[in-house]
Amino acid sequence: MDLRRSLLVVVGLGLLGSVPAQAIDLFGIERRHEARRQAAIKAHQAEQLEQIRAFDRILESANRDGLAMVITQIFNTGSRANSSLREHRDYTTSVGWELEGSNGGIHLLHSDRIKTNDGFVLNTVEGSFRINLVVPGTYRLQSVMQEHHYSDTHNMTLTRNQGAGGIGIYEINETAFVETETEEYYRPTSYKTVNHSYCSASYVVSGACASWSSWSEEHVDRQGGWDTRQVGRERDGLIVVSKPRQTLATLILAPGQVALMDTVFSRLPNNGYLRDTCARTGGQRVECQLASFSFQVVPARADALQHAITMVRNNGQVELAGMLERAVPVPLQISGAKADWRDGQWGQNYYLEVPAADTGK
């Protein structure tokens, strides 16, 4: 009995010797490969978190050194635009704030577009927040910029010299926008290659494959025919910048403050110009006297910011979470503008206009 068991062991060792080494511990190799992959992922995530936290520590240090942090919830005006008005579709608003005493050298720019080089953005289930580090002081509402699609200056009456009598400057910049359209086109037949393989030689005793053979076949993947696709078309448009002369709204920031700012934007149609005051001041720029100007204010929501604080803390960004927790609402100071309509979606409307002016547009 012992002799028979010994023979089985010897035969078994011989069989193992005839199987490729890679096949002996296949599952062990897979487990080790997966373990190395997971370890690499964790190391990469840890490296990314450390880079993010290093950036957060820079923000924290700059804030301690006296720079003010401004947090503003982004209001996407494009999603609320009146889609029945073709010229108002897919527009954007950028609101410019100028630091008093800087002679136009220091600005705070807020845009309803997420992608911008000004500050950085936190995206949460409660919306997106823009965060900026700025020099403390008093910032005045300087300008509102908007895109007007499907517009041009062809029918405007231009004079040799710009007139006077408005409440500011209405600057019109000619540009072009790319609009996405659907077009028909003929799509040719496409093919795909299918690879096949089979075991052409096996070990006699173990049955494991010793050699593989392969071949390829080409099949029709999709028959040719008419189809549709999205293409970009260049369309005329205008970038309009309204610059009121009078200070209508101010934001006061203290050194080292973390301020939760009201959201400010300007809903179209928001402004008008005085006819017969428009003159071309550059190759693609026309300036007129501003006749009417309006903007909307949505109060800051501290409860919405709590979701951002929870998110960054769960992500391991303890420094940024600590700064956000110190945020206090800083209401705007409105002066010189009249308040009229208000609703839950667009906020409080403020306006200023030239009495009995022929605003044209």
Side-chain angles (χ1 to χ4, degrees):
M1 202 65 165
D2 293 337
L3 180 59
R4 185 176 300 172
R5 187 176 295 111
S6 299
L7 287 173
L8 288 174
V9 170
V10 172
V11 172
L13 290 175
L15 291 176
L16 288 176
S18 64
V19 178
Q22 292 84 352
I24 298 176
D25 192 24
L26 179 61
F27 295 109
I29 292 174
E30 290 181 350
R31 284 194 297 269
R32 288 192 293 273
H33 176 73
E34 179 62 20
R36 286 193 296 269
R37 191 179 72 86
Q38 292 296 333
I41 292 175
K42 290 181 179 179
H44 181 65
Q45 291 174 338
E47 182 181 358
Q48 284 185 320
L49 177 59
E50 182 53 37
Q51 291 174 350
I52 293 173
R53 292 192 62 186
F55 176 70
D56 292 347
R57 287 190 287 269
I58 293 174
L59 295 179
E60 186 181 40
S61 176
N63 185 234
R64 285 198 308 266
D65 290 343
L67 290 182
M69 176 178 284
V70 181
I71 306 168
T72 311
Q73 189 162 12
I74 297 173
F75 186 84
N76 186 358
T77 56
S79 65
R80 292 167 173 80
N82 188 346
S83 59
S84 65
L85 300 178
R86 191 165 178 250
E87 67 274 15
H88 293 169
R89 190 176 60 191
D90 299 330
Y91 64 86
T92 185
T93 301
S94 293
V95 180
W97 300 82
E98 180 185 16
L99 178 63
E100 290 186 353
S102 68
N103 296 320
I106 299 179
H107 293 83
L108 171 63
L109 179 67
H110 283 153
S111 172
D112 67 357
R113 288 287 175 88
I114 299 297
K115 295 181 179 179
T116 178
N117 294 326
D118 182 67
F120 67 97
V121 174
L122 283 177
N123 297 311
T124 75
V125 294
E126 288 293 318
S128 300
F129 293 85
R130 190 178 309 285
I131 299 178
N132 301 81
L133 278 178
V134 298
V135 176
T138 300
Y139 286 80
R140 61 177 292 270
L141 177 62
Q142 181 213 37
S143 62
V144 170
M145 183 277 288
Q146 287 169 319
E147 298 174 358
H148 291 232
H149 294 200
Y150 313 102
S151 301
D152 55 53
T153 60
H154 298 164
N155 296 323
M156 290 185 65
T157 301
L158 302 180
T159 61
R160 183 180 297 273
N161 298 307
Q162 185 182 345
I167 59 174
I169 299 297
Y170 186 87
E171 180 184 294
I172 305 170
N173 299 277
E174 297 168 339
T175 186
F177 298 97
V178 176
E179 181 185 54
T180 301
E181 291 185 348
T182 302
E183 73 168 9
E184 279 193 339
Y185 75 105
Y186 186 81
R187 172 180 38 78
T189 300
S190 60
Y191 300 87
K192 67 177 180 180
T193 301
V194 179
N195 297 317
H196 304 273
S197 62
Y198 69 98
C199 183
S200 57
S202 303
Y203 292 99
V204 175
V205 180
S206 66
C209 187
S211 177
W212 292 87
S213 297
S214 61
W215 78 98
S216 300
E217 290 181 342
E218 198 171 66
H219 299 273
V220 173
D221 183 40
R222 193 176 186 183
Q223 291 288 351
W226 288 98
D227 205 345
T228 60
R229 62 186 174 189
Q230 302 294 312
V231 294
R233 304 292 189 195
E234 192 171 271
R235 304 298 186 198
D236 289 337
L238 302 173
I239 295 178
V240 176
V241 184
S242 300
K243 303 176 182 178
R245 293 190 183 93
Q246 185 176 343
T247 297
L248 302 178
T250 55
L251 173 69
I252 301 176
L253 301 172
Q257 185 177 29
V258 181
L260 181 58
M261 177 183 172
D262 295 337
T263 300
V264 180
F265 58 95
S266 191
R267 178 185 182 183
L268 285 174
N270 71 311
N271 46 34
Y273 60 89
L274 293 174
R275 293 180 179 177
D276 302 324
T277 67
C278 301
R280 189 170 293 278
T281 58
Q284 293 180 307
R285 185 174 68 248
V286 173
E287 288 188 2
C288 311
Q289 286 294 306
L290 184 65
S292 60
F293 179 80
S294 65
F295 61 96
Q296 293 77 46
V297 177
V298 177
R301 288 180 51 205
D303 60 322
L305 185 60
Q306 290 300 318
H307 291 272
I309 295 173
T310 302
M311 181 191 73
V312 297
R313 187 175 295 281
N314 291 341
N315 290 342
Q317 297 177 253
V318 293
E319 293 85 3
L320 181 57
M323 285 185 286
L324 297 181
E325 287 176 338
R326 293 195 290 112
V328 294
V330 179
L332 296 174
Q333 297 186 11
I334 308 297
S335 60
K338 302 175 184 178
D340 53 3
W341 59 262
R342 178 188 182 94
D343 65 35
Q345 184 180 45
W346 291 95
Q348 176 67 60
N349 181 67
Y350 296 93
Y351 73 97
L352 183 67
E353 62 185 2
V354 175
D358 183 4
T359 57
K361 211 167 183 178

